[in-house]
Amino acid sequence: MFRRLSSLSYALERLLDLCNPLEEREKIQIKDACGRVLASDVLSPENLPSFNRAAMDGYAVRSHETRGASQSSPVRITEYVRVRTGAALPEGFDAVVMLEDSFLRGNVLEITAELTPYRNVSRIGEDVRSGDIVLSCEHRLRPPDLALLGAVGIDEVEVFKTPRVAVIPTGDELVPRSCVPAPGEAREINSIMICSYVKLWGGEPQLSGVIPDERDAIKEAIKRCTGSDLILVSGGTSVGDRDYAPGVLDEMGELMVHGIRLSPGRPTALGAINGTPIVCLPGYPVAALASLYLLVRPAVKRLAHLSDDTQRREARLSRKIPSRPGYITFARVSLRDGIAEPVMVSGAGILSSVARADGFVLVPEDLEGLDEGEKVEVHIFE
Amino acid sequence: MFRRLSSLSYALERLLDLCNPLEEREKIQIKDACGRVLASDVLSPENLPSFNRAAMDGYAVRSHETRGASQSSPVRITEYVRVRTGAALPEGFDAVVMLEDSFLRGNVLEITAELTPYRNVSRIGEDVRSGDIVLSCEHRLRPPDLALLGAVGIDEVEVFKTPRVAVIPTGDELVPRSCVPAPGEAREINSIMICSYVKLWGGEPQLSGVIPDERDAIKEAIKRCTGSDLILVSGGTSVGDRDYAPGVLDEMGELMVHGIRLSPGRPTALGAINGTPIVCLPGYPVAALASLYLLVRPAVKRLAHLSDDTQRREARLSRKIPSRPGYITFARVSLRDGIAEPVMVSGAGILSSVARADGFVLVPEDLEGLDEGEKVEVHIFE
């Protein structure tokens, strides 16, 4: 039996307290920077544009010479320069008249619209001025940001390092994926799920080999993760006589949570060793998935300076979702045309239930389930 | 002037008609398959579990021997086997009694709960039966799916090939990003945005060098893209005397759309050459971004067999968004606490406006803008 079950919100709070956004930074080229987070403000070394630029095809003119021009009383000028979009405005000119507002008669240009100064001109520094902050510290770089950086001549940026997340699968019964398990054995499959999610969420997974259910072996495996920003131990987290992970955590550091009122996902533990946060994930894959989404995802995102918004969709339940009062239920649903259909299976080990699901709904702990027709928020599985 | 402007919906429909989901497939290892789309149903070669498995720590028993057991009248049995979670149920036993429902007195096991057959047992094939379809063709592989495939011993899957998207930047004024542009020149920056998005959206960008504004050079560049599934030409798409891209498309194949009632984004063209779809994207980066999101994104997603859901958030406008009637307006907004703040800039070239924006709102073409306080759907920029 668990000594004391924690609420999910308490567990998350403790975990996030342990996960400080990384301060380490590195310089990388902008071509590799998509999705990374700036570790300092980026100041533009240049004006953009760096010259007064024609914003239209037409003629560069002096705006004051067009005063009073209209369709009915065109103005005629003799000093003008033909320019194309993007061209530098020649010295001494301050506006561009569009082709449709002008007519060339021999050497004389007839203009049928009055122009204000810098009409149809992108002025020096109109987009960005030299010294401006183009992008601020903590900004996540998206493709148009890379274009903006490129536009002002920046090829390298300082970004926060990617959190290193150690993944330690444990269990005597586990065999490599390539083996055929004998009775009593199981393929080690949680790590491919854990590592893939860590990558998607902005971390760098560092996978260890499978560790047997032995106190010392687990200790050694954890000790080898000194450089990690977060340690995930998979399996051996419950209260059986060979569930060593929480005890090892207690011995080596501080065990803060063991057992969460989350279904599936109860046998989750967390704490810290020398300031490094550790989450012990249940071995049952659906329970592991629940803990990954509800604890590890926000933790990795926080370490990486990323917001932890999941993609969500509103939907109505096609059927009741039963739940265990006192527990937050991680209910898998499939989604079609705004209708969420609960994937009805109970076992925390039934991975095929996730294959049929598009996302999950959380049933709050103070409810005894959600009713048919109820409006729910579906978090889409990445 | 554009001969005939098309609506965005017409343009999108024509483009999607040209973009058939790729039929080419390839075999890849599951460790590399996250985010890829299955090109065939995957049948399980095995039962999962492959043996009757204890789902709890406890004792394997014969369920019929527990008949009538309760707290007040325990049943005593002498044939049982201690099992741990995950162990194979020994031959001849059909249920597992939990530790809390049993008590060992010498060699006799006292049981205080009646068990039905297979209680606390994961039966052979309970999760997946041999021959079952575990995942269907067209399914996008997510981390738990990889775990499921691994669990049934599948290490390789057949997926659809990634669409190859040729990106051809054009423009006499363009210089490489590493250069300092002279007056009249500009750094070539659209391709880093286009290629980064193509990658995010599930395509494989194939970038060509910068092509000058010359009819034959553009033709040659397009001809070199024979293996591509989609061709994106950047720049030279308007109606100026050096905007050759749409004319080249018309000459080499079929120009279906030139000019879209989209602001910014009007000078977008599209069509096909020998069945390969081509989109000519405006050179102004914000206009290019609008066309990328509203046309290229759905096109790439369709080629890749992916759904084109963007991440969206509901919000209220902090201020009016003016718009040009008859045109769909691609309005950039920043987003905070459910309030969408329009980023007020007009120029299609003002890339810094996108840096300050979190996403975009589309103003329908039949409206003259959206009012302060109005509820809008914000598409979040990836």
Side-chain angles (χ1 to χ4, degrees), chain A residues 48-220:
Chain A
L48 181 65
S50 57
F51 51 90
N52 288 326
R53 190 173 64 188
M56 288 279 187
D57 285 359
Y59 296 93
V61 298
R62 297 186 181 96
S63 60
H64 67 86
E65 291 189 352
T66 68
R67 209 163 292 148
S70 71
Q71 285 281 2
S72 55
S73 71
V75 159
R76 292 175 183 81
I77 62 174
T78 53
E79 291 195 11
Y80 53 85
V81 178
R82 178 80 168 88
V83 288
R84 295 178 56 222
T85 307
L89 203 67
E91 197 61 36
F93 296 92
D94 72 346
V96 172
V97 59
M98 293 195 293
L99 294 178
E100 40 266 68
D101 295 333
S102 58
F103 192 81
L104 201 59
R105 299 183 183 278
N107 287 332
V108 174
L109 186 68
E110 248 181 48
I111 296 174
T112 56
E114 183 173 323
L115 301 174
T116 49
Y118 298 102
R119 181 77 188 149
N120 298 324
V121 172
S122 298
R123 295 182 68 171
I124 291 178
E126 176 185 274
D127 195 347
V128 177
R129 268 171 311 184
S130 173
D132 272 0
I133 294 177
V134 235
L135 293 167
S136 306
C137 185
E138 298 283 337
H139 183 84
R140 187 179 63 86
L141 294 168
R142 306 155 305 173
D145 301 323
L146 305 180
L148 176 60
L149 292 169
V152 297
I154 292 171
D155 193 46
E156 215 182 51
V157 282
E158 191 178 47
V159 294
F160 289 111
K161 278 206 169 173
T162 301
R164 286 148 303 183
V165 180
V167 178
I168 306 174
T170 71
D172 287 340
E173 77 285 13
L174 298 180
V175 297
R177 282 210 320 271
S178 54
C179 294
V180 177
E185 293 181 342
R187 292 195 179 90
E188 195 288 289
I189 54 162
N190 285 14
S191 69
I192 194 172
M193 172 170 76
I194 298 169
C195 291
S196 302
Y197 270 134
V198 165
K199 234 184 271 177
L200 278 180
W201 294 337
E204 183 194 321
Q206 303 180 315
L207 178 61
S208 94
V210 175
I211 306 299
D213 290 320
E214 291 163 17
R215 197 178 297 275
D216 288 341
I218 297 172
K219 260 192 204 171
E220 285 310 311

Side-chain angles (χ1 to χ4, degrees), chain A residues 232-246:
Chain A
L232 304 177
V233 178
S234 168
T237 64
S238 193
V239 288
D241 52 6
R242 293 222 195 155
D243 287 316
Y244 293 124

Side-chain angles (χ1 to χ4, degrees), chain B residues 33 49 83 89 212 228 236 265 268 322 362:
Chain B
V83 288
L89 203 65
S228 303
T268 299
L362 293 179

Side-chain angles (χ1 to χ4, degrees), chain A residues 46 127 142 151 187 352 357, chain B residues 46 127 142 151 187 351-352 357:
Chain A
E46 298 181 7
D127 195 347
R142 306 155 305 173
R187 292 195 179 90
S352 60
Chain B
E46 299 180 7
D127 195 347
R142 305 155 307 173
R187 293 195 179 90
L351 201 42
S352 59

Side-chain angles (χ1 to χ4, degrees), chain A residues 313, chain B residues 312-315 333 360-362 375-379:
Chain A
R313 289 279 178 271
Chain B
R312 286 166 279 169
R313 290 278 177 272
E314 279 207 341
V333 300
F360 65 90
V361 166
L362 293 179
K375 217 181 193 180
V376 290
E377 193 164 53
V378 179
H379 300 257

Side-chain angles (χ1 to χ4, degrees), chain B residues 79-200:
Chain B
E79 291 194 12
Y80 53 85
V81 178
R82 178 81 168 89
V83 288
R84 295 178 55 222
T85 306
L89 203 65
E91 196 62 35
F93 297 91
D94 72 345
V96 172
V97 59
M98 293 195 293
L99 293 178
E100 41 264 68
D101 295 333
S102 57
F103 191 80
L104 201 59
R105 297 184 186 279
N107 288 330
V108 174
L109 187 68
E110 249 182 48
I111 297 174
T112 57
E114 182 172 325
L115 301 172
T116 49
Y118 299 103
R119 181 76 189 152
N120 298 323
V121 172
S122 297
R123 296 182 69 172
I124 292 179
E126 176 186 275
D127 195 347
V128 177
R129 269 171 310 184
S130 172
D132 272 0
I133 294 177
V134 236
L135 293 165
S136 305
C137 184
E138 297 283 338
H139 183 84
R140 188 179 63 83
L141 293 169
R142 305 155 307 173
D145 302 323
L146 304 180
L148 176 60
L149 292 169
V152 296
I154 291 170
D155 193 47
E156 214 182 52
V157 282
E158 192 180 48
V159 295
F160 289 111
K161 278 207 169 172
T162 301
R164 285 148 303 183
V165 181
V167 179
I168 306 175
T170 72
D172 287 340
E173 77 284 13
L174 298 180
V175 297
R177 283 209 321 271
S178 55
C179 294
V180 177
E185 292 181 343
R187 293 195 179 90
E188 194 288 289
I189 53 160
N190 286 14
S191 68
I192 193 170
M193 172 170 75
I194 298 169
C195 291
S196 302
Y197 270 134
V198 165
K199 235 183 271 177
L200 279 181

